[in-house]
Amino acid sequence: MIKSAPTDYRFTAPRSLGAVFGRLKNTGPLFWIMPAGLCVLLIFGYSIIDLVQQSFKYQGDWVGFENFNLVLTDPLFQTAIFHNFLLLFTVPILATLSFLCAVLLFETRKGMKFYRSAVFLPYILPIPVVGVVFGQLLQLNGALNSALRAMGFESLALDWLGDPGQALWTMSAIIIWKEVGFGTILILARLISLPLETLEAARIDGAGFFRLHLQVTLPQLRSVILFYIINEAIVMVSWVFNYVYVMTNGQGGPGNATVVSELYIYRSAFQNKAPELAATAALLLLMATLIFIVGFFRIQSKANKGALDE
Amino acid sequence: MSKQHRVLEKAGITSRQLILILITAMALVPGYLMLTGSLKTQKDFLNSPWSLPLHPNFDGYKAAWNDQFPTWFRNSLFVTLLAVLLTITMAATAAWGFAHWKWKGRDFVLGVLISLMVVPPVVLLIPLFTLGAKLGWISTFRMLILVYIGLMLPFSIYLLTNFFKAIPVSLTEAAEIDGATDFRTFRSIVLPLSGPPLITLTVVNLLWVWNELLLALVFLQSDDKKTLMVGITGFQSRYSLSIPTIMAGMTIATIPLLVTYLFGQRYFITGLTAGSVKGE
């Protein structure tokens, strides 16, 4: 008696996920990349193509460069771009402060881990939380001003967020407060991985603290600092929405004192119901970021080559 | 070393220590005011914002943890965990496809992927919103999770590919000679070796999704679907007369993140130095 005739073969459901994959012997890379690849194509590929299309249309009709004309001549857009440009001035400040903090941490034996965690903490806090807390501290009668007044610096107690001439600079200070930890950690990690010999040799030759770090350490940190600078430049041009939105209730106020390009896009699309203009502004922003992306890409591929050579 | 020299060096060390203490204080001050403020009454806070809460008062927490706060918290937890889990799974398989096989155009595709890491989300906002509206997916978690996955994938794939490339070929070849399928090699050889980078990615991505505001704001419009970050931005105007309530809300929103950070600090730092990470 034949126990299992070939005709008896029934498709049995695989018992586990492993069994499903077990049937696939030689899969090839496409099989593995497909799920992620499709997702990336949808989120980035589709979006960017659709963005370009939308920016040449108005309510479905082709209008050529009309949207670009409207956006570029819109005084609010010009103001927004100018504010992003002003925010770029925080980048050299951030790079300098990060370098100083990293060197200080590097030179400290006692309590280095504690200081490092503390300096880094602002970077991981959610911007909505940071925005709301600073928003409270910086009120005209908030904690900061009450402390300043108590110490007798009455004239320094400004209307940090309410004064249109002051608000953007206050915002910059908060961004610096938050972002400096990132640079510090980045630079410190590189600093620790540097060969100690050159540093020790310079120290024995009698180089003081400042000379040592400016002439021996700094040149060796060039690529990581450059990476940080490009990264922060991208942040200032296209990742500051959260700060502005939270601290000004989505208005970019007082007046238009803190409107940035991202808020312009958000407001055009969702408050003024002009998605075409928003798409156009977004495309312009993407092109501006592209300049930085090229720089970013070149550093990245250089670093990759270096890693492979090792 | 001369005596004068030594004194100078001591002074240098002390002054550096002092600067560090000052920097640390500046980094911690808002957190201090948030935490102490959440335990005070409105009157105490206005009178002396800097003092310690000698008589801790939990009314702020009670008020903050009312109506929708628990819902927002749950939404955030759900979106964050699911998005991160799916991202890591998809990124790990894709990275294996990049690392294990050499194929034409691989380095180019990887290069494009790397440059996608810096595309700002605001650029993708309008097309994705139009798409979501067409599908009827606005105010659904699946839309937001899909967008989050897409945005996290480039960095995740990049980091894991670099790690997988460093796994000795001899290990995987031995398994293949023994007749192991691709899936088996991946599961029994590659994954067990990849603990640290997988934890790094989990920590980095958890923090990013938890903190994300712009996309959650746009894609989740109905009140019961809001994430915590969207919810607390509206908190300010809603409880403008009770600063302790606001501070308590902020404290609750920070706690999960702080726990993740404290446990995963080492991994988080590895992740940051491995490439660029967007903290927001």
Side-chain angles (χ1 to χ4, degrees), chain A residues 108-155:
Chain A
T108 307
R109 307 271 177 288
K110 235 199 227 151
M112 186 271 228
K113 280 205 172 128
F114 169 74
Y115 292 130
R116 192 181 62 180
S117 300
V119 171
F120 192 52
L121 188 70
Y123 186 67
I124 64 136
L125 293 179
I127 297 178
V129 169
V130 169
V132 169
V133 172
F134 269 109
Q136 292 298 333
L137 302 189
L138 300 173
Q139 297 287 322
L140 192 55
N141 292 311
L144 178 69
N145 281 351
S146 74
L148 285 172
R149 287 188 192 117
M151 288 187 284
F153 299 114
E154 180 65 45
S155 57

Side-chain angles (χ1 to χ4, degrees), chain A residues 18 21-22 24-29 32-33 35-36 39-40 42-44 46-48 50-51 54 101 104-105 107-108 110 114-129 132-137 143-144 146-147 177-179 182 185-186 189 209 227 231 234-235 238-239 241-243 245-246 249 262 265-266 269-270 275 278-279 282 285-286 289 293 296-297 300 304, chain B residues 16-17 19-21 23-24 26-28 30 33-34 49-50 90 93-94 96-98 101 103 111-131 134 146-147 149-151 153-154 157-158 162 165 179 181-183 186 207-208 211 213-214 217-218 229 232-233 236-237 243 246-247 250 253-254 257-258 261 265 268-269 272-273 275-280:
Chain A
F21 284 103
L24 304 158
K25 270 245 169 233
N26 292 308
T27 48
W32 293 85
I33 294 173
C39 191
V40 170
L42 174 73
I43 300 298
F44 289 95
Y46 165 82
S47 295
I48 291 172
D50 190 57
L51 185 73
Q54 284 202 35
C101 282
L104 278 175
L105 283 171
E107 290 278 347
T108 307
K110 235 199 227 151
F114 169 74
Y115 292 130
R116 192 181 62 180
S117 300
V119 171
F120 192 52
L121 188 70
Y123 186 67
I124 64 136
L125 293 179
I127 297 178
V129 169
V132 169
V133 172
F134 269 109
Q136 292 298 333
L137 302 189
L144 178 69
S146 74
W177 176 83
K178 191 160 172 3
E179 293 282 331
F182 176 38
I185 293 292
L186 217 55
F209 181 81
F227 171 82
N231 201 72
I234 295 171
V235 169
S238 55
W239 294 74
F241 173 85
N242 293 3
Y243 294 98
Y245 184 86
V246 175
N249 271 327
E262 288 161 279
I265 295 169
Y266 176 81
F270 301 102
L285 185 63
L286 180 66
T289 330
I293 294 178
F296 178 87
F297 188 43
Q300 204 59 257
N304 268 358
Chain B
R16 273 177 248 150
Q17 199 86 17
I19 296 173
L20 268 181
I21 291 172
I23 293 171
T24 307
M26 277 171 74
L28 295 180
L33 286 165
M34 175 176 88
W50 297 93
M90 286 160 84
T93 51
W96 183 234
F98 279 111
W101 289 274
W103 39 278
V112 172
L113 208 60
I114 290 168
S115 52
L116 289 183
M117 293 191 322
V118 284
V119 172
V122 71
V123 167
L124 312 172
L125 196 64
I126 288 117
L128 289 175
F129 187 81
T130 322
L131 180 72
K134 263 189 226 153
L146 184 71
V147 176
I149 294 174
L151 284 170
L153 275 175
I157 295 174
Y158 163 75
N162 276 352
K165 269 185 186 163
T181 59
D182 290 339
F183 179 75
F186 179 65
L207 293 179
W208 184 77
N211 289 350
L213 173 68
L214 172 65
L217 188 71
V218 168
M229 290 306 133
I232 61 174
T233 44
Q236 221 178 166
S237 35
I243 296 170
I246 294 174
M247 295 303 188
M250 299 303 128
T254 314
L257 193 115
L258 216 57
Y261 170 63
Q265 190 184 16
F268 189 62
I269 289 171
L272 281 184
T273 45
S276 123
V277 169
K278 299 270 97 63
E280 34 282 338

Side-chain angles (χ1 to χ4, degrees), chain B residues 16-271:
Chain B
R16 273 177 248 150
Q17 199 86 17
L18 281 176
I19 296 173
L20 268 181
I21 291 172
L22 194 73
I23 293 171
T24 307
M26 277 171 74
L28 295 180
V29 151
Y32 168 81
L33 286 165
M34 175 176 88
L35 200 63
T36 54
S38 71
L39 295 168
K40 289 176 185 171
T41 62
Q42 171 85 352
K43 211 176 125 218
D44 283 348
F45 185 86
L46 290 179
N47 284 339
S48 53
W50 297 93
S51 68
L52 281 165
L54 293 175
H55 309 286
N57 175 308
F58 292 91
D59 288 353
Y61 286 89
K62 266 182 226 143
W65 192 258
N66 74 358
D67 59 317
Q68 282 162 327
F69 211 92
T71 315
W72 298 336
F73 199 89
R74 256 201 316 276
N75 292 345
S76 267
L77 217 55
F78 175 73
V79 169
T80 307
L81 292 179
L82 199 60
V84 171
L85 188 74
L86 289 171
T87 303
I88 304 262
T89 315
M90 286 160 84
T93 51
W96 183 234
F98 279 111
H100 189 53
W101 289 274
K102 255 202 154 76
W103 39 278
K104 219 177 157 193
R106 181 182 74 167
D107 292 343
F108 175 74
V109 175
L110 263 179
V112 172
L113 208 60
I114 290 168
S115 52
L116 289 183
M117 293 191 322
V118 284
V119 172
V122 71
V123 167
L124 312 172
L125 196 64
I126 288 117
L128 289 175
F129 187 81
T130 322
L131 180 72
K134 263 189 226 153
L135 293 170
W137 283 13
I138 300 303
S139 284
T140 62
F141 289 136
R142 61 179 162 236
M143 184 71 199
L144 186 66
I145 289 174
L146 184 71
V147 176
Y148 280 161
I149 294 174
L151 284 170
M152 283 187 283
L153 275 175
F155 174 71
S156 306
I157 295 174
Y158 163 75
L159 188 118
L160 285 176
T161 303
N162 276 352
F163 183 83
F164 289 167
K165 269 185 186 163
I167 293 177
V169 184
S170 56
L171 278 180
T172 51
E173 263 177 3
E176 268 152 27
I177 288 166
D178 287 345
T181 59
D182 290 339
F183 179 75
R184 219 188 133 71
T185 314
F186 179 65
R187 212 197 59 186
S188 336
I189 310 260
V190 178
L191 283 187
L193 287 171
S194 313
L198 289 176
I199 300 173
T200 298
L201 265 188
T202 309
V203 174
V204 169
N205 286 339
L206 277 180
L207 293 179
W208 184 77
V209 180
W210 186 265
N211 289 350
E212 208 287 325
L213 173 68
L214 172 65
L215 297 164
L217 188 71
V218 168
F219 285 106
L220 301 174
Q221 312 241 332
S222 66
D223 229 19
D224 60 322
K225 287 283 166 60
K226 279 180 180 166
T227 61
L228 196 52
M229 290 306 133
V230 180
I232 61 174
T233 44
F235 220 62
Q236 221 178 166
S237 35
R238 195 146 139 204
Y239 291 101
S240 58
L241 292 177
S242 173
I243 296 170
T245 308
I246 294 174
M247 295 303 188
M250 299 303 128
T251 309
I252 301 172
T254 314
I255 287 170
L257 193 115
L258 216 57
V259 173
T260 315
Y261 170 63
L262 289 178
F263 281 105
Q265 190 184 16
R266 188 161 62 92
Y267 296 103
F268 189 62
I269 289 171
T270 320

